[in-house]
């Protein structure tokens, strides 16, 4: 038992943090809701009550998975690049512009789609290159850089859409509609689950393979694990910092464009949609491991949809979910949370071992 | 003179620069003091929101400005202390903990606003108070300066005062000395008996106080209500303002004014058909450039020092 606990300590700690989050949400619902039993049911079971809601979970998880990977790759190198928010946005804006421009070429659907997605991916990589290079070359602070770049991305995108691709027949700020042959098909009836979800799953495995089975992935993790050791053992730290940022950015870019082509079919965001921050949340819950991030994204989407059902059918506002999320993240990031339990178990194990050795000798 | 230049050099323009710079000056001082102690505090966004909210709610229920102000400061310090507790005691990464706290603040304020006022957008149904504007008799007689500086909200003057207080704390108190020492070289500070964790916590608490004042100004001076996510990124912009100013008192002040000018400009330019996005993006680009140059210089100095 003790050995099991030590082996899976991190996973158990995450689960305990989530359970504490759930316990607090039940407590809040008991206090504020007039029909708490109903509300608890809506929050936890609501997301599974119909096909379209299960669909909602997957639809919402799709952009979060992309941003989670985008955040995790630089985080693995201990680079606090929080630029996924802006990269997602600006790649979607420029990708939309690109798709509208090459519309006239009348390309066959498949080639058109691949071309637009590739463009957005490259654009995301380019946008990720900026903070990566400034950090690696000038040692500028990554968090501050990427926070500022998110604003730059936002204003440039709004400018691009507002002044050059704005559909004036619509009553609000939005781009022209994309042509139908560049849509990512929604393939399950009664839901909006689209091909982008499959691309997200593929990205998870590509990112996993990249991080754990390639030299560059190993170097990225090494730099994150011990910067000085990595440096003195001959790893090109400059390259790692720049490339982790570029590769992270390209996943965010791909995700942004897939969201436009799969769900909205036009660029209609007027403020940053927040998927980049969700990406940080799932990267934390998933410990920067792409496969765990996929599950964390589905979990986060499940929580959010539960919050929406709660909001719709009871007297409790949606924002309760944010409170729970933040408590879960705080507990997971606290390295010392439950550390004393681990310590005690370790000591116990060691004593047992020592006792065994003594009795043998 | 062309109408554009005329409007920029008008006293009403400069008056509004001070008005819109104030909610950046406060959190920028907060970012600066924690940066001097070596922590990057990106939780000012959350601190401001919680304080803005607390000020409105408490003033609506007590009808007392002082109690409202005091509670708002306590609320800001509370969030800053949680950040300190998790990052310093529980060894959470301060960036991640701050991201969690921003999310927490954004959600809890809307959640409670709905519970208390049954509205998820604004608190206008509550009868909350505002801080008064102040008229100085001596400023009235001075032509241009009077138009710019007179009749501002009292918290605008407190923002100026805070820049001075920040200067005094950092450069003329033992605490300020310790904060700078801890930020520059924690090992050395610790070897001469400075409690690094405690000093970093104090710096974060002070940062909470500054942030709280910024939040109070937003909901009880700048406007007279609390609105969902009303900080609108000012906590992050504050990071830019203090980086432009190298975390120094006057530098941080002028960094904040730069953003004030840009915001006021976008309001004044609206009728002139110049894309406001292009104006609005400038300060962020300036921040990136300044930050890059500043970091390049610091890292070069360090390398020279090492040789």
């Amino acid at each position: 038992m003790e050995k099991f606990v030590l082996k899976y300590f991190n996973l158990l700690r995450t689960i305990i943090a989530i359970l504490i989050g759930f316990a607090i949400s039940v407590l809040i619902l008991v206090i504020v809701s007039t029909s708490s039993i109903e509300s608890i049911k809506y929050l936890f079971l609501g997301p599974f009550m119909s096909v379209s809601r299960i669909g909602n979970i997957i639809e919402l998880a799709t952009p979060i998975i992309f941003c989670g990977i985008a955040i995790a790759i630089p985080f693995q190198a201990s680079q606090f690049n929080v630029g996924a928010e802006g990269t997602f946005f600006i790649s979607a804006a420029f990708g939309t512009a690109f798709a509208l421009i090459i519309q006239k070429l009348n390309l066959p659907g498949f080639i058109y789609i691949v071309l637009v997605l590739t463009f957005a991916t490259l654009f995301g990589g380019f946008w990720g290159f900026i903070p990566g290079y400034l950090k690696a070359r000038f040692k500028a602070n990554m968090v501050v850089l990427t926070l500022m770049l998110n604003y730059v991305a936002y204003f440039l995108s709004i400018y691009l859409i507002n002044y050059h691709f704005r559909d004036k027949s619509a009553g609000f700020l939005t781009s022209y509609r994309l042509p139908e042959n560049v849509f990512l098909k929604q393939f399950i009836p009664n839901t909006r689950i689209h091909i982008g979800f499959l691309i997200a799953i593929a990205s998870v495995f590509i990112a996993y393979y990249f991080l754990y089975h390639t030299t560059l992935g190993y170097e990225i993790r090494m730099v994150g694990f011990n910067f000085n050791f990595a440096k003195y053992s001959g790893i090109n730290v400059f390259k790692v910092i720049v490339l982790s940022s570029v590769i992270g950015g390209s996943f965010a870019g791909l995700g942004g464009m897939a969201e436009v082509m799969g769900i909205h079919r036009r660029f209609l965001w007027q403020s940053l949609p927040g998927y980049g921050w969700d990406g940080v949340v799932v990267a934390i819950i998933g410990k920067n491991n792409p496969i765990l991030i996929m599950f964390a994204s589905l979990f986060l989407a499940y929580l959010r949809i539960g919050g929406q059902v709660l909001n719709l059918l009871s007297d409790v506002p949606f924002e309760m979910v944010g409170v729970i999320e933040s408590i879960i993240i705080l507990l997971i990031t606290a390295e010392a949370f439950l550390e004393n339990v681990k310590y005690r178990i370790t000591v116990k194990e060691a004593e047992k071992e020592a006792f065994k050795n003594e009795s043998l000798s | 003179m062309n109408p554009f230049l005329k409007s920029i050099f008008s006293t009403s323009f400069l008056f509004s620069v001070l008005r819109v710079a104030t909610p950046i000056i406060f959190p920028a001082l907060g970012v600066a003091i924690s940066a001097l102690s070596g922590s990057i505090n990106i939780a000012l966004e959350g601190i401001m929101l919680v304080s803005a909210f607390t000020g409105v709610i408490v003033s609506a229920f007590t009808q007392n400005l002082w109690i409202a102000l005091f509670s708002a400061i306590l609320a800001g310090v509370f969030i800053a202390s949680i950040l300190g507790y998790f990052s310093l005691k529980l060894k959470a990464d301060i960036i991640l903990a701050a991201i969690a706290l921003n999310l927490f603040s954004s959600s809890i304020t809307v959640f409670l606003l709905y519970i208390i006022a049954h509205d998820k957008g604004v608190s206008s149904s509550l009868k909350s108070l505002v801080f008064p504007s102040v008229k100085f008799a001596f400023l009235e007689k001075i032509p241009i300066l009077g138009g710019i500086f007179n009749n501002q909200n009292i918290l605008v003057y407190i923002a100026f005062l805070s820049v001075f207080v920040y200067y005094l704390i950092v450069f003329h108190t033992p605490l300020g000395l310790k904060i700078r020492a801890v930020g520059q070289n924690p090992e050395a500070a610790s070897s001469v008996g400075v409690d690094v964790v405690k000093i970093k916590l104090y710096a974060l608490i002070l940062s909470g106080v500054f942030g709280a004042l910024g939040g109070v100004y937003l909901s009880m001076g700048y406007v007279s209500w609390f609105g969902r996510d009303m900080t609108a990124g000012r906590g992050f912009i504050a990071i830019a303002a203090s980086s432009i100013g190298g975390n120094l008192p006057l530098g941080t002040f002028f960094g904040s004014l730069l953003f004030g000018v840009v915001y006021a400009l976008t309001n004044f330019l609206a009728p002139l058909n110049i894309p406001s996005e292009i104006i609005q993006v400038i300060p962020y680009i300036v921040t990136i450039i300044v930050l890059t140059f500043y970091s390049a210089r610091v890292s070069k100095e360090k390398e020279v020092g090492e040789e």
Side-chain angles (χ1 to χ4, degrees):
Chain A
M1 176 66 195
E2 277 93 357
K3 278 213 172 104
F4 175 80
V5 169
L6 283 182
K7 193 168 172 206
Y8 294 104
F9 183 74
N10 269 329
L11 182 66
L12 286 172
R13 211 176 56 164
T14 304
I15 291 171
I16 289 173
I18 290 172
L19 290 178
I20 291 177
F22 280 176
I24 294 173
S25 53
V26 169
L27 191 69
I28 296 178
L29 288 177
V30 169
I31 295 171
V32 301
S33 179
T34 44
S35 51
S36 17
I37 302 291
E38 286 287 290
S39 301
I40 292 169
K41 203 182 89 192
Y42 291 140
L43 177 63
F44 293 115
L45 301 179
F48 300 123
M49 285 194 305
S50 72
V51 175
S52 79
R53 285 205 191 119
I54 296 175
N56 287 338
I57 298 179
I58 293 177
E59 289 153 26
L60 180 58
T62 304
I64 302 179
I65 292 173
F66 282 113
C67 287
I69 300 172
I71 294 283
I73 291 173
F75 270 28
Q76 283 267 15
S78 275
Q79 299 301 311
F80 284 109
N81 181 327
V82 292
E85 181 83 23
T87 314
F88 182 92
F89 197 77
I90 196 169
S91 309
F94 277 80
T96 304
F98 179 75
L100 290 170
I101 291 170
I102 63 166
Q103 183 179 359
K104 294 177 203 96
L105 301 178
N106 277 326
L107 293 168
F110 181 73
I111 295 177
Y112 193 8
I113 289 173
V114 170
L115 209 58
V116 172
L117 285 178
T118 308
F119 175 84
T121 308
L122 292 176
F123 194 93
F126 156 72
W127 199 254
F129 171 80
I130 302 172
Y133 180 77
L134 293 180
K135 166 71 196 274
R137 175 79 176 76
F138 302 107
K139 300 198 170 63
N141 185 294
M142 186 61 113
V143 184
V144 183
L145 274 179
T146 47
L147 279 173
M148 296 308 121
L149 278 166
N150 286 347
Y151 286 101
V152 176
Y154 170 74
F155 287 118
L156 290 184
S157 310
I158 295 294
Y159 169 77
L160 179 77
I161 299 302
N162 196 4
Y163 284 84
H164 300 286
F165 295 93
R166 179 170 187 160
D167 183 354
K168 292 183 184 74
S169 65
F172 56 104
L173 171 58
T174 175
S175 75
Y176 296 107
R177 212 173 145 76
L178 292 177
E180 212 154 299
N181 53 343
V182 80
F183 287 3
L184 289 178
K185 198 171 170 328
Q186 300 179 346
F187 58 92
I188 298 180
N190 295 325
T191 71
R192 294 189 300 167
I193 299 173
H194 56 94
I195 306 288
F197 177 64
L198 303 181
I199 303 177
I201 302 296
S203 302
V204 164
F205 288 100
I206 293 169
Y208 181 82
Y209 181 83
F210 167 70
L211 279 169
Y212 295 96
H213 295 282
T214 64
T215 315
L216 182 58
Y218 170 78
E219 288 175 343
I220 286 176
R221 288 185 296 123
M222 215 52 220
V223 167
F225 181 67
N226 189 333
F227 184 88
N228 284 327
F229 175 75
K231 196 170 159 186
Y232 294 125
S233 59
I235 290 175
N236 184 343
V237 177
F238 184 94
K239 183 184 86 179
V240 165
I241 292 176
V242 176
L243 286 184
S244 64
S245 210
V246 169
I247 294 166
S250 56
F251 279 107
L254 176 62
M257 199 57 221
E259 187 70 4
V260 169
M261 288 157 67
I263 300 277
H264 308 299
R265 275 81 197 265
R266 60 193 339 166
F267 187 92
L268 46 57
W269 289 299
Q270 290 165 41
S271 56
L272 293 167
Y275 295 128
W277 293 110
D278 295 341
V280 178
V281 171
V282 294
I284 294 170
I285 298 178
K287 297 274 171 201
N288 299 328
N289 175 329
I291 291 176
L292 295 179
I293 284 174
M294 176 175 69
F295 291 115
S297 307
L298 288 165
F299 168 70
L300 186 66
Y302 154 75
L303 258 189
R304 294 267 169 88
I305 301 301
Q308 281 174 15
V309 177
L310 191 65
N311 197 41
L312 206 66
L313 301 179
S314 80
D315 51 352
V316 184
F318 170 75
E319 282 68 21
M320 198 194 88
V321 171
V323 176
I324 304 309
E325 263 173 50
S326 56
I327 292 171
I328 294 174
I329 309 168
L330 269 180
L331 292 177
I332 292 177
T333 52
E335 296 273 319
F337 170 58
L338 295 181
E339 203 60 31
N340 52 351
V341 175
K342 186 184 182 184
Y343 175 76
R344 250 179 276 150
I345 295 173
T346 316
V347 170
K348 228 193 209 166
E349 273 293 294
E351 275 171 358
K352 238 195 256 165
E353 287 290 313
F355 184 73
K356 225 191 274 168
N357 291 345
E358 232 166 67
S359 52
L360 282 177
S361 59
Chain B
M1 202 150 76
N2 93 23
F4 169 64
L5 288 178
K6 208 170 180 178
S7 62
I8 287 191
F9 288 105
S10 67
T11 50
S12 69
F13 174 76
L14 294 171
F15 180 91
S16 71
V17 167
L18 295 183
R19 204 177 92 84
V20 294
T22 299
I24 298 170
I25 295 174
F26 282 123
L29 293 173
V31 173
I33 199 153
S34 57
L36 283 185
S37 79
S39 341
I40 303 173
N41 183 358
I42 65 165
L44 262 304
E45 188 77 3
I47 290 171
M48 282 171 88
L49 260 183
V50 165
S51 301
F53 175 78
T54 310
V56 162
I57 298 296
V58 174
S59 81
F61 283 100
T62 62
Q63 292 298 313
N64 183 318
L65 269 184
W66 295 110
I67 298 178
L69 177 67
F70 184 71
S71 325
I73 292 178
L74 269 188
V77 166
F78 173 68
I79 299 289
S81 310
I82 296 183
L83 180 64
Y85 181 73
F86 271 86
S87 66
L88 300 167
K89 277 270 184 266
L90 294 182
K91 308 269 178 273
D93 188 279
I94 193 164
I95 305 283
L96 303 182
I99 291 173
L101 283 170
N102 287 338
L103 176 62
F104 175 80
S105 308
S106 162
S107 313
I108 194 90
T109 47
V110 179
F111 181 76
L112 291 177
L113 183 66
Y114 181 79
I115 301 288
I116 296 170
H118 295 285
D119 192 313
K120 282 171 82 172
V122 289
S123 71
S124 34
S125 66
L126 300 171
K127 291 205 165 20
S128 61
L129 306 178
V130 286
F131 281 87
S133 300
V134 195
K135 209 172 217 164
F136 293 101
F138 76 95
L139 272 174
E140 217 147 306
K141 287 173 201 128
I142 310 172
I144 296 163
L145 289 181
I148 300 169
F149 289 100
N150 213 358
N151 276 325
Q152 294 275 14
N153 189 282
I154 185 164
L155 287 163
V156 174
Y157 304 108
I158 293 181
F160 297 159
L161 196 67
S162 298
V163 176
F164 185 62
V165 169
Y166 174 81
Y167 162 77
L168 287 182
I169 294 176
V170 169
F171 293 105
H172 292 282
T173 64
L175 176 64
L177 179 67
K178 283 180 192 161
I179 286 177
R180 283 181 292 138
V182 166
Q184 269 162 18
N185 193 336
E187 288 85 16
S190 154
S191 72
V192 293
V194 175
D195 186 340
V196 173
V197 169
K198 206 162 88 183
I199 296 298
K200 283 192 158 192
L201 182 65
Y202 287 162
L204 280 176
I205 286 174
L206 282 171
S207 138
V209 174
F210 285 126
L213 288 170
V216 166
Y217 172 72
L218 268 187
S219 64
M220 301 174 74
Y222 190 71
V223 294
S224 57
W225 36 265
F226 174 84
R228 128 181 248 148
D229 291 324
M230 74 185 308
T231 41
R234 288 186 179 83
F236 297 135
I237 291 159
I239 302 173
S242 67
S243 333
I244 287 181
N247 302 321
L248 296 169
L250 274 182
T252 304
F253 177 68
F254 285 117
S256 311
L257 279 190
L258 172 71
F259 281 92
V261 168
V262 169
Y263 282 134
L265 259 185
T266 51
N267 294 337
F268 274 68
L269 286 178
L272 288 168
N273 226 354
I274 298 175
S276 67
E277 293 90 356
I278 296 303
I279 309 289
Q280 281 169 294
V281 82
I282 291 171
Y284 301 102
I285 294 177
V286 170
T287 308
I288 291 169
I289 294 170
V290 170
L291 184 72
T292 305
F293 272 105
Y294 181 73
S295 320
R297 214 185 57 208
V298 170
S299 66
K300 207 170 227 167
E301 270 170 15
K302 264 193 191 150
E303 272 162 34
V304 171
E306 275 163 15
E307 279 165 8

